[in-house]
């Protein structure tokens, strides 16, 4: 027994020792002194170094193993760092190692303010009467009244800015939204998310978590309205499930026929309400509410033991994985019947699925040709052949994936490795070559 314990300890220790060695090597490889480099001011920036008499830029100080990038023309004798990303010498201003066109190194003011601004960096800089954002000039911004807000938001006396080219006429003093991250900003009754006005109900706007927010009508996910969800009764149940007054959701997908008042999550995969058992948002047709307890749900969550087969786009059955045979990655045989990724194929037997290529990409079922799980519309099953790499043909057409290629003749077409097809504005597919 003691021997087994020691063997177990050794096996646990091996990956820990390996990780420690990798960490030590990484620290050594990325250490500036290893590369004869000295930071200009490591308390302000870990990106600008003096090495062999030259100014070198190294992104976050993490890539010394590839040598860093010398800044052409930078004067090491007058070079100094301004912030994590900004630096200057007697001739130029630099941002992330690139010269900032139009900036005056003799007139430099970092734009920082407020509790949300870091001590050294907001991305905004005033130089020579101009305002710069992340090294690019903001045209017509008023330097005298320009100030930083939070995140990538700033303002002057007339406009509210997000990065360089997004601005809104100012109506009032912008402010942060309670419990929100720096992607959000309130501007009067407007709610702005990453520079886009998403709501005009700021007084009713509430942050649910880092992903979701609501106003009087809508639910927002990362600043986008979630179609179909309503704010009334909206709740994040678990990282996988949500509900509103009308229905439950698996992530942002409505769960058909679900009853939010009785909906109960049993684990990450299985839930139920008064009417149905659900598996990842689909109705489970071969399980009743009464026969699925929390312990039963734990068993059904074991993907290596149970597989879900689609009866339709909204309904599945859960069957033993060992009883399911993969015909291809998109068609399965169970109980002498065939299931696709989306539905059960009525009247189709496993022997009816004819594989047409070595990659099991194209199959024929009756009179239809499939590319993966999609029908190649109009393809003639009697003359259809696979050419190579997404290309196929019949007597009349050449196909790329499921699309007809209008400028290819099946009699003369020859496949080459750099060929593909792309859609034009009219919805037609034409041959192209990778450059």
């Amino acid at each position: 027994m003691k021997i087994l314990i020691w063997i177990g300890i050794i096996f646990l220790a091996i990956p820990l020792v390996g990780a420690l060695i990798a960490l030590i090597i990484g620290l050594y490889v990325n250490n500036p002194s290893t590369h004869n480099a000295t930071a200009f001011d490591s308390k302000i920036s870990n990106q600008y170094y003096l090495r062999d008499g030259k100014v070198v830029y190294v992104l976050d100080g993490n890539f010394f193993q590839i040598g860093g990038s010398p800044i052409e023309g930078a004067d090491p004798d007058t070079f100094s760092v301004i912030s994590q990303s900004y630096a200057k010498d007697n001739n130029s201003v630099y941002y992330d190692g690139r010269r900032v066109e139009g900036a005056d190194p003799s007139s430099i003011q970092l734009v920082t303010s407020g509790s949300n601004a870091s001590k050294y960096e907001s991305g905004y800089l005033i130089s020579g009467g101009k305002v710069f954002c992340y090294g690019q000039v903001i045209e017509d911004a008023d330097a005298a009244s320009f100030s930083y807000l939070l995140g990538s938001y700033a303002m002057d006396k007339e406009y509210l800015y997000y990065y360089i080219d997004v601005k809104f006429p100012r109506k009032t003093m912008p402010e942060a939204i309670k419990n929100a991250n720096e992607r959000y900003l309130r501007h009067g009754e407007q709610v702005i998310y990453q520079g886009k006005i998403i709501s005009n109900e700021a007084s009713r706007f509430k942050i649910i978590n880092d992903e979701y927010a609501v106003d009087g009508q809508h639910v927002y996910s990362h600043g986008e309205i979630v179609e179909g969800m309503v704010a009334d009764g909206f709740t994040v149940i678990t990282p996988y499930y949500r509900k509103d007054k009308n229905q439950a959701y698996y992530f942002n997908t409505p769960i058909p026929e679900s009853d939010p008042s009785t909906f109960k999550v049993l684990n990450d995969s299985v839930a139920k309400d008064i009417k149905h058992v659900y598996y990842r948002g689909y109705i489970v047709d071969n399980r009743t509410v009464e026969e699925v307890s929390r312990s039963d749900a734990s068993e059904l969550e074991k993907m290596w033991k149970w597989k879900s087969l689609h009866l339709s786009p909204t309904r599945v059955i859960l069957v033993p994985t060992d009883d399911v045979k993969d015909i291809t990655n998109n068609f399965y045989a169970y109980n002498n019947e065939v299931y696709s990724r989306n539905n059960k194929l009525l009247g189709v037997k496993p022997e009816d699925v004819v594989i047409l290529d070595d990659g099991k990409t194209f199959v024929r079922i009756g009179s239809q040709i499939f590319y993966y799980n999609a029908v190649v519309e109009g393809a003639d099953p009697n003359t259809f052949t696979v050419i190579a790499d997404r290309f196929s043909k019949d007597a009349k057409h050449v196909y790329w994936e499921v699309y007809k290629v209008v400028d290819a003749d099946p009699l003369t077409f020859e496949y080459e490795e750099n060929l593909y097809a792309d859609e034009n504005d009219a919805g037609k597919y034409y041959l192209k070559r990778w450059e």
Side-chain angles (χ1 to χ4, degrees), residues 346-371:
L346 298 177
V348 177
K349 302 300 180 185
E351 58 269 23
D352 297 331
V353 181
V354 180
I355 298 170
L356 301 176
D357 65 321
D358 293 338
K360 297 183 179 180
T361 302
F362 291 92
V363 302
R364 175 170 54 81
I365 303 176
S367 61
Q368 288 187 310
I369 303 296
F370 292 82
Y371 174 76

Side-chain angles (χ1 to χ4, degrees), residues 325-356:
K325 178 184 177 183
D326 291 349
I327 303 173
T328 71
N329 288 334
N330 299 276
F331 295 97
Y332 318 100
Y334 171 72
N335 199 23
N336 204 34
E337 295 177 307
V338 175
Y339 296 79
S340 74
R341 286 186 178 270
N342 300 315
N343 59 284
K344 180 179 178 180
L345 304 185
L346 298 177
V348 177
K349 302 300 180 185
E351 58 269 23
D352 297 331
V353 181
V354 180
I355 298 170
L356 301 176

Side-chain angles (χ1 to χ4, degrees), residues 117-401:
S118 68
K119 184 177 180 181
Y120 294 112
E121 189 81 70
S122 70
Y124 292 97
L125 180 80
I126 294 174
S127 176
K130 299 177 182 179
V131 180
F132 298 85
C133 174
Y134 303 111
Q136 298 184 56
V137 69
I138 303 177
E139 298 293 343
D140 301 322
D142 180 58
S145 62
F146 196 88
S147 63
Y148 175 58
L149 292 167
L150 76 166
S152 295
Y153 294 100
M155 68 178 184
D156 62 18
K157 63 182 179 180
E158 294 186 359
Y159 291 98
L160 171 64
Y161 298 90
Y162 181 75
Y163 284 104
I164 300 155
D165 52 2
V166 177
K167 66 180 183 179
F168 308 92
R170 270 191 60 196
K171 300 176 182 179
T172 184
M173 181 66 186
E175 57 186 290
I177 295 175
K178 184 179 179 181
N179 299 324
N181 58 47
E182 293 184 341
R183 293 187 288 271
Y184 290 95
L185 189 71
R186 177 173 180 172
H187 183 219
E189 275 302 297
Q190 295 176 336
V191 176
I192 301 172
Y193 182 86
Q194 291 186 327
K196 176 183 176 182
I197 298 171
I198 62 172
S199 173
N200 290 299
E201 295 185 283
S203 57
R204 303 181 69 183
F205 196 87
K206 294 181 180 179
I207 299 296
I208 304 299
N209 59 22
D210 198 46
E211 177 180 356
Y212 291 100
V214 298
D215 59 16
Q217 304 177 64
H218 302 294
V219 177
Y220 300 84
S221 174
H222 298 301
E224 297 289 336
I225 292 175
V226 183
E227 295 297 334
M229 278 186 184
V230 297
D232 191 0
F234 177 77
T235 305
V236 177
I237 308 171
T238 73
Y240 295 85
Y241 291 95
R242 305 90 175 84
K243 68 177 181 178
D244 59 22
K245 71 170 186 177
N246 298 323
Q247 59 192 333
Y249 302 82
Y250 185 69
F251 291 98
N252 292 339
T253 302
I255 298 177
E257 303 181 27
S258 57
D259 174 39
S261 63
T262 61
F263 192 83
K264 182 186 297 185
V265 175
L266 302 179
N267 57 41
D268 291 345
S269 297
V270 183
K272 69 177 182 178
D273 59 18
I274 196 171
K275 297 180 292 184
H276 301 293
V277 175
Y278 304 93
Y279 181 79
R280 299 185 178 182
Y282 300 102
I283 297 170
V284 179
D285 235 33
N286 62 338
R287 294 290 189 278
T288 65
V289 174
E290 293 75 20
E291 67 183 5
V292 178
S293 64
R294 192 171 294 276
S295 60
D296 297 317
S298 296
E299 174 68 19
L300 293 174
E301 194 180 25
K302 297 175 181 177
M303 295 177 62
W304 63 92
K305 295 184 67 175
W306 300 93
K307 186 175 182 66
S308 61
L309 295 177
H310 282 261
L311 299 175
S312 72
T314 62
R315 308 179 87 91
V316 299
I317 55 174
L318 293 174
V319 300
T321 299
D322 291 343
D323 294 344
V324 179
K325 178 184 177 183
D326 291 349
I327 303 173
T328 71
N329 288 334
N330 299 276
F331 295 97
Y332 318 100
Y334 171 72
N335 199 23
N336 204 34
E337 295 177 307
V338 175
Y339 296 79
S340 74
R341 286 186 178 270
N342 300 315
N343 59 284
K344 180 179 178 180
L345 304 185
L346 298 177
V348 177
K349 302 300 180 185
E351 58 269 23
D352 297 331
V353 181
V354 180
I355 298 170
L356 301 176
D357 65 321
D358 293 338
K360 297 183 179 180
T361 302
F362 291 92
V363 302
R364 175 170 54 81
I365 303 176
S367 61
Q368 288 187 310
I369 303 296
F370 292 82
Y371 174 76
Y372 288 103
N373 199 46
V375 175
V376 183
E377 297 289 350
D380 176 21
N382 296 316
T383 59
F384 185 89
T385 57
V386 177
I387 301 171
D389 191 28
R390 306 185 187 184
F391 280 98
S392 59
K393 68 178 182 178
D394 59 17
K396 295 183 178 180
H397 302 287
V398 173
Y399 303 90
W400 185 76
E401 296 183 353

